[in-house]
Amino acid sequence: MSYNSNTSYDDHDHGEKIPNASGTTPGGIIDDAGDVYETSDARRQLGLTSAIFLIFNRMIGTGIFATPSAIFSLSGSVGLALFIWVAGMLIAVAGMLVYLEFGTGLPRNGGEKNYLEFVYRKPRFLVTGFYTGYVVLLGWAGSNSVVFGEYILHAAQVEVTRWNQRGVGLACITAAFLIHGLSVKWGLRLQNFLGTIKLLILLLIIFAGFAALGGALKIEKPHNFDNAFAGTTGSAYGVVTALYNVIWSYIGYSNANYAMSEMKNPVRTLKIAAPTAIAIVGVLYMLANIAYFAAVPKEEIASSGRILAASFFRNVFGPSAERALSVFVALSAFGNVLSVIFSQGRLVQELGREGILPFSSLWASNKPFNAPFMGLFEHWLVSVIIMLAPPPGDAYNFILNVISYPLSIVNIFVSAGLVWLYLHREQYNWHPPTRATLPVTIFFLLSNIYLAVAPYVPPDTPDQNVYESLPYWLHCVVGLAIIAAGGVYWVIWAQVLPRVRGYRLEKHVVRGEDGWTRNRFVHVKRQ
């Protein structure tokens, strides 16, 4: 299992103490770093279908209904746009294989936290400190909650303003938080239901696209596939940004890895769920793009922005279909919010179980509804602040961009860690049931280096800047600073305070009332 190495010093837990794995500990699952991890079979409610939809819902939010317009504009031609979508799919498949190997080798809640801890063991707790800044300070669920508000208001034919959009978004994320916080089972059922709706919406778009290719349109047939590479851009910034957008449309292939302690037969489930989900999404994405190009003229695609799918529905089904589509896209956004807060809440809980957070017993708890209520609450709170605090314009767009950038940094260290394991397999006793292979892992590593470097490529013209007045690279620097903030936390509690106050941190493993083990750090006076 994974390398447990974290710290909290203000934690008072009354659970059963389990001796550590160094010779004074019987029982439990002992990983290669000598740590015990136990869980309760009663918590394993996540079956194969739910695992597939957990990934599916995270990957498909609102991107496929909006981003193809920007990607076409940046690439300049239908042919290059489709080629970029294929390239993004290959990178996503490589990422899925890397996470599949780690997930089946270390099958427990926590995802990247476990993988980083397993590989980067020294200095003790440092990598977990960095990861804590990434998890605790970023509100992933906020962006699609706001998009949910925009589309609901559009469907209701209400003018969208800053506060009514964010107010509906607040209701969206609060509903998702309460559903998952009060009942894991019903949260999963709703997630699966919304995932099915997304699948049906995309199938409707795809089959309507086939009909459009045959001429079933309310407008003149656009003939976008004639001379498909005409207009291809020579802009390096355009191609870089287009590929960047496609790759982010695939983010979510690792979502089931965060809840493996809650899976039935986790290794088998992940081995089936991850490839199945990404194969379905990849095919749907490609066919949906072909459908858009079959029904919407190039000029309209380039100018449609976030309402490309609305243009498609209007051209195929008539103007009245636009409002119905807005409801469908809103439901898709809600399904994404449910999926995001489900996994991110469990990351907060797992950091609590590892003992790294102040008041760790609070964040680690499954009380009062046998669900990670407080972990979900922390992510809800950060997301709400991100939604409501910044003003419209640059400040708001900046916050949303800051959320996404650090993931590429995390994935660089995850993939580099797997390369290191391939080169030191016996040292780590690394023999998982699935293998990504070294070439695939290196390809994923290079793709994430690209994702980390690409945003620093200057735009060709000022109008290509994502901000009106801020530097185009600012969100990248601040994203790195957020990760670094976790390192500062590590310096204080793992280095400075123990030396100043004359103690060392000693980890104890305790078993809570829910049957799960977690860490508790105590101060031992130096002799």
Side-chain angles (χ1 to χ4, degrees):
M1 301 305 295
S2 77
Y3 176 58
N4 297 340
S5 58
N6 309 322
T7 305
S8 176
Y9 43 80
D10 55 355
D11 196 4
H12 302 285
D13 185 83
H14 301 290
E16 174 188 353
K17 180 177 175 182
I18 302 174
N20 62 38
S22 61
T24 56
T25 308
I29 300 172
I30 303 177
D31 66 21
D32 294 317
D35 291 319
V36 177
Y37 183 82
E38 293 180 352
T39 186
S40 168
D41 287 339
R43 290 285 294 159
R44 297 192 182 275
Q45 301 184 49
L46 198 63
L48 177 60
T49 300
S50 295
I52 292 173
F53 276 117
L54 194 62
I55 301 170
F56 183 84
N57 272 316
R58 180 68 181 268
M59 294 179 76
I60 299 181
T62 57
I64 189 58
F65 304 110
T67 56
S69 172
I71 291 161
F72 169 73
S73 299
L74 290 163
S75 59
S77 70
V78 172
L80 181 57
L82 292 176
F83 178 81
I84 290 173
W85 277 97
V86 171
M89 179 176 62
L90 293 176
I91 293 171
V93 170
M96 180 273 297
L97 291 171
V98 168
Y99 275 86
L100 183 61
E101 175 165 349
F102 266 127
T104 55
L106 306 170
R108 56 169 287 188
N109 277 18
E112 302 102 337
K113 180 191 73 64
N114 302 323
Y115 317 149
L116 295 171
E117 290 172 348
F118 184 80
V119 178
Y120 304 101
R121 303 184 180 186
K122 294 180 180 180
R124 294 183 69 207
F125 320 136
L126 175 57
V127 73
T128 314
F130 283 132
Y131 190 73
T132 299
Y134 163 74
V135 170
V136 172
L137 299 178
L138 296 175
W140 283 79
S143 57
N144 266 323
S145 298
V146 174
V147 172
F148 173 86
E150 178 182 356
Y151 276 95
I152 284 293
L153 292 169
H154 182 70
Q157 295 184 321
V158 175
E159 182 184 358
V160 178
T161 67
R162 171 188 176 185
W163 289 113
N164 66 7
Q165 180 184 19
R166 298 188 192 190
V168 177
L170 176 62
C172 167
I173 194 171
T174 302
F177 157 55
L178 292 176
I179 289 167
H180 279 315
L182 298 177
S183 174
V184 174
K185 183 179 294 185
W186 282 103
L188 290 172
R189 287 174 178 172
L190 179 59
Q191 216 165 254
N192 295 349
F193 172 71
L194 291 175
T196 303
I197 290 178
K198 287 187 193 184
L199 179 61
L200 293 176
I201 296 168
L202 285 171
L203 289 175
L204 175 62
I205 290 174
I206 289 165
F207 285 117
F210 285 134
L213 284 172
L217 282 166
K218 303 292 184 182
I219 62 170
E220 184 179 346
K221 191 174 180 180
H223 298 286
N224 286 334
F225 295 105
D226 298 345
N227 195 8
F229 284 91
T232 297
T233 180
S235 165
Y237 177 83
V239 174
V240 163
T241 307
L243 182 56
Y244 193 86
N245 288 338
V246 170
I247 293 172
W248 280 111
S249 296
Y250 276 100
I251 291 301
Y253 45 77
S254 61
N255 207 39
N257 291 59
Y258 304 125
M260 293 199 67
S261 296
E262 299 173 59
M263 280 186 191
K264 302 170 185 176
N265 197 349
V267 172
R268 177 182 178 275
T269 297
L270 189 66
K271 286 171 69 174
I272 298 174
T276 300
I278 202 166
I280 293 172
V281 170
V283 171
L284 291 176
Y285 275 4
M286 291 305 303
L287 293 179
N289 273 279
I290 291 172
Y292 291 144
F293 289 126
V296 185
K298 292 180 182 179
E299 299 76 15
E300 191 175 350
I301 293 174
S303 63
S304 61
R306 291 198 297 181
I307 57 171
L308 173 59
S311 299
F312 173 86
F313 267 61
R314 182 180 61 251
N315 293 350
V316 176
F317 299 109
S320 61
E322 284 190 63
R323 289 181 65 189
L325 176 72
S326 295
V327 175
F328 292 152
V329 175
L331 290 175
S332 179
F334 185 45
N336 179 268
V337 172
L338 280 167
S339 181
V340 169
I341 201 169
F342 178 92
S343 58
Q344 296 300 117
R346 277 154 177 78
L347 281 177
V348 176
Q349 183 187 53
E350 199 62 22
L351 288 170
R353 290 189 179 280
E354 291 290 318
I356 191 169
L357 300 177
F359 310 105
S360 282
S361 59
L362 177 69
W363 308 113
S365 174
N366 275 316
K367 296 178 180 179
F369 304 109
N370 199 29
F373 189 88
M374 292 307 299
L376 294 165
F377 171 77
E378 191 279 338
H379 190 73
W380 172 86
L381 181 62
V382 174
S383 297
V384 167
I385 292 171
I386 287 173
M387 286 170 54
L388 301 182
D394 275 357
Y396 189 69
N397 293 332
F398 165 74
I399 292 292
L400 296 184
N401 288 330
V402 165
I403 293 171
S404 59
Y405 180 78
L407 179 58
S408 59
I409 306 300
V410 171
N411 277 339
I412 287 174
F413 284 93
V414 169
S415 49
L418 189 54
V419 171
W420 181 261
L421 288 178
Y422 279 133
L423 301 178
H424 302 83
R425 189 181 303 278
E426 296 307 321
Q427 176 185 338
Y428 285 83
N429 191 24
W430 183 246
H431 303 286
T434 59
R435 301 281 175 85
T437 74
L438 184 60
V440 168
T441 306
I442 292 175
F443 173 65
F444 185 58
L445 171 62
L446 294 176
S447 72
N448 279 283
I449 292 173
Y450 159 80
L451 279 175
V453 173
Y456 291 98
V457 176
D460 295 334
T461 59
D463 64 310
Q464 291 180 329
N465 190 351
V466 292
Y467 307 115
E468 292 182 8
S469 57
L470 298 177
Y472 65 91
W473 43 261
L474 185 62
H475 62 276
C476 306
V477 175
V478 174
L480 291 173
I482 287 173
I483 295 177
V488 173
Y489 178 60
W490 170 81
V491 169
I492 294 172
W493 59 249
Q495 300 294 319
V496 175
L497 288 178
R499 292 180 183 178
V500 170
R501 297 182 179 178
Y503 63 81
R504 60 183 173 83
L505 294 167
E506 182 175 292
K507 181 172 65 176
H508 293 167
V509 181
V510 297
R511 183 189 293 112
E513 296 176 2
D514 58 3
W516 282 22
T517 54
R518 68 173 194 84
N519 299 331
R520 178 166 60 89
F521 284 82
V522 297
H523 298 175
V524 178
K525 204 74 176 175
R526 295 184 184 274
Q527 300 298 325

